[in-house]
Amino acid sequence: MGLAQRRVSRLSNNQEPTIPPPENVFPANLDVAELLASGWRPSAFRQFILKVHSRCDLACPGCYVYEMADQSWRTQPRQMSPAVVASTAFRIAEHARTHRLPDIDVILHGGEPLLAGPESLEHIVRTIRGACSEVGTRVRVSMQTNAVRLDETYLKLFHDLEIRVGVSLDGDAVAHDRTRVFANGRGSHERVSRALRLLEGPFHHLFAGLLCTIDLRNDPIATYRALLEFDPPSVDFLLPHGNWAAPPPWRDADSTATPYADWLIRIFDEWRETPRFRTEIRLFHEIIRLLSGGDSRSESVGLSPASMVVVETNGAIEQSDILKSAFEGASATGLHVLTAAFDDALGHPAIAARQLGVRALGPECRRCDLVNTCGGGLYAHRFRPATGFLGPSVYCPDLYRLISYIRERHARDTARLEGRV
Ligand code: SF4
């Protein structure tokens, strides 16, 4: 059975495509003109996620791009055309000049970005840096990869081009190979480990960190220690995607149980008890920063305006691709780099909604004492067909429990360090 056929059968077996919400729910009903008249102004994009290849060499069940509600990958070209690359570079430089941005981030993403091949990746990076250098903007480039194809040839190129690499790893071989599998069902841990060994040596300066999707079947401490074996500078734990209409695995939407918080708290305690934190755990760092009155730099928590935008392989300007887990077309804006500026996207109701902070949340979240830290959680996890994206998150009990725990523990540790207890 071909990969595409296999993916169709998985979707039809496990998940009914979710119907888009009516036009009168948030954020489709948001009046951006009224917002602008009231004095609100959008924030410039600073993070450009480029879908440089639309296919993947793994076939992970539950992947939000291929296995969930939105199946638009089927109509995407495999790779960005030279015309789309040129227009994307022009639009990024145009946006940087308009908003006088001294630096921006470009993230090479997919599908699997390494499938684009070294020549294409070099062309994309040089074209964007060339366009942005003319407007005085520095471009930091990183990539998120499954690392199956990551080898010395790529790493030498990434060293020359200063591309940092984030790798998806879900734990030890048993944990990782539960889900990160090739189309024939074989696990990818061995190939990924081999690539990660290369990042431990002379290429360590290119290592951005590990991304681990939580699987409650895996022991949290064993998972955390397996990730640390590769000496990552940072680790990000991701909640599996889902929403109120299609809840994530082991998350009963109506239950007050907190299985994900309980899993993460075990890691938080282990991480916290390490004399010097060996690695940054992004979710914990962000929560502590927010509890201390800082801004969020992650879309998982907090109320900071979202500053990222996606360019699809065909040149379409889109919102976060995580929204593909909600319903067909959820991430679309109807704009394209050949015909629209990124400033046009800033006026799109769905993008404006992600820059409104607490004003984009429903009454439950607004009343919550943790709203400034939680921010309703990841936007895609708030989706409910009847009310759109007003929240709360389908992970609400987990988020409340995790943040409360970190708040108490952080306050206790800080008091002890300051000699107050
Ligand atoms: S999702 Fe839950 S924990 Fe988060 S702000 Fe909303 S009500 Fe509070």
Side-chain angles (χ1 to χ4, degrees), residues 364-365 368 370-371 374-377 392-393 396 399-400:
E364 251 177 289
C365 290
C368 176
L370 296 181
V371 67
C374 174
S393 166
C396 178
L399 291 167
Y400 196 91

Side-chain angles (χ1 to χ4, degrees), residues 231-294:
D231 197 17
S234 78
V235 169
D236 208 359
F237 288 105
L238 301 186
L239 296 166
H241 297 313
N243 54 63
W244 294 93
W250 307 292
R251 173 76 254 159
D252 177 350
D254 298 317
S255 166
T256 56
T258 58
Y260 286 92
D262 301 341
W263 197 93
L264 283 163
I265 284 169
R266 292 208 32 222
I267 296 176
F268 180 82
D269 282 340
E270 167 117 347
W271 175 72
R272 193 80 187 184
E273 276 148 27
T274 310
R276 277 185 63 220
F277 301 148
R278 277 180 66 182
T279 189
E280 173 184 299
I281 299 189
R282 198 160 172 230
L283 179 62
F284 301 157
H285 258 268
E286 292 302 315
I287 290 174
I288 291 169
R289 182 206 306 277
L290 286 158
L291 288 168
S292 310

Side-chain angles (χ1 to χ4, degrees), residues 50-100:
L50 310 189
K51 300 286 189 173
V52 298
H53 200 282
S54 66
R55 303 296 197 266
C56 187
D57 41 7
L58 293 183
C60 310
C63 173
Y64 63 88
V65 175
Y66 303 109
E67 307 283 348
M68 298 187 83
D70 185 305
Q71 290 288 297
S72 57
W73 64 272
R74 294 172 187 282
T75 56
Q76 286 288 338
R78 287 179 176 269
Q79 223 158 310
M80 279 186 165
S81 69
V84 164
V85 173
S87 282
T88 301
F90 170 78
R91 294 299 181 189
I92 291 174
E94 175 187 59
H95 196 70
R97 185 184 59 232
T98 304
H99 297 275
R100 297 195 181 90

Side-chain angles (χ1 to χ4, degrees), residues 140-312:
R140 283 183 297 267
V141 182
S142 61
M143 164 181 292
Q144 186 60 40
T145 172
N146 64 30
V148 163
R149 286 164 194 265
L150 190 64
D151 59 13
E152 278 203 44
T153 307
Y154 269 120
L155 288 170
K156 281 179 188 152
L157 175 70
F158 296 166
H159 171 77
D160 293 343
L161 293 173
E162 297 179 21
I163 300 177
R164 298 190 76 218
V165 183
V167 174
S168 302
L169 181 74
D170 288 350
D172 59 21
V174 173
H176 184 87
D177 289 347
R178 271 189 212 284
T179 50
R180 301 231 175 233
V181 293
F182 294 95
N184 63 7
R186 195 166 50 84
S188 60
H189 186 269
E190 192 187 331
R191 294 269 294 270
V192 178
S193 301
R194 205 182 308 151
L196 285 168
R197 295 280 171 231
L198 295 173
L199 283 168
E200 284 180 312
F203 297 109
H204 193 66
H205 61 292
L206 300 176
F207 195 9
L210 293 173
L211 209 67
C212 173
T213 301
I214 300 170
D215 185 323
L216 296 182
R217 292 169 295 185
N218 300 332
D219 179 74
I221 300 302
T223 299
Y224 175 51
R225 289 179 183 165
L227 303 182
L228 289 186
E229 273 181 30
F230 296 102
D231 197 17
S234 78
V235 169
D236 208 359
F237 288 105
L238 301 186
L239 296 166
H241 297 313
N243 54 63
W244 294 93
W250 307 292
R251 173 76 254 159
D252 177 350
D254 298 317
S255 166
T256 56
T258 58
Y260 286 92
D262 301 341
W263 197 93
L264 283 163
I265 284 169
R266 292 208 32 222
I267 296 176
F268 180 82
D269 282 340
E270 167 117 347
W271 175 72
R272 193 80 187 184
E273 276 148 27
T274 310
R276 277 185 63 220
F277 301 148
R278 277 180 66 182
T279 189
E280 173 184 299
I281 299 189
R282 198 160 172 230
L283 179 62
F284 301 157
H285 258 268
E286 292 302 315
I287 290 174
I288 291 169
R289 182 206 306 277
L290 286 158
L291 288 168
S292 310
D295 291 335
S296 164
R297 296 179 307 180
S298 154
E299 57 174 337
S300 300
V301 284
L303 293 167
S304 301
S307 64
M308 56 78 65
V309 66
V310 174
V311 180
E312 265 295 349

Side-chain angles (χ1 to χ4, degrees), residues 125-148:
V125 171
R126 290 200 189 282
T127 307
I128 293 171
R129 285 221 173 101
C132 288
S133 71
E134 288 177 21
V135 299
T137 299
R138 180 171 167 253
V139 182
R140 283 183 297 267
V141 182
S142 61
M143 164 181 292
Q144 186 60 40
T145 172
N146 64 30
V148 163

Side-chain angles (χ1 to χ4, degrees), residues 4-65:
Q5 285 168 294
R6 196 159 161 258
R7 283 180 169 144
V8 171
S9 64
R10 277 201 192 137
L11 182 75
S12 54
N13 284 343
N14 296 340
Q15 192 193 355
E16 293 299 322
T18 310
I19 299 162
E23 286 293 303
N24 61 350
V25 304
F26 189 85
N29 61 358
L30 191 65
D31 189 337
V32 179
E34 198 175 281
L35 277 173
L36 290 166
S38 73
W40 172 81
R41 292 290 175 268
S43 307
F45 296 120
R46 289 165 187 275
Q47 216 180 48
F48 298 84
I49 298 177
L50 310 189
K51 300 286 189 173
V52 298
H53 200 282
S54 66
R55 303 296 197 266
C56 187
D57 41 7
L58 293 183
C60 310
C63 173
Y64 63 88
V65 175

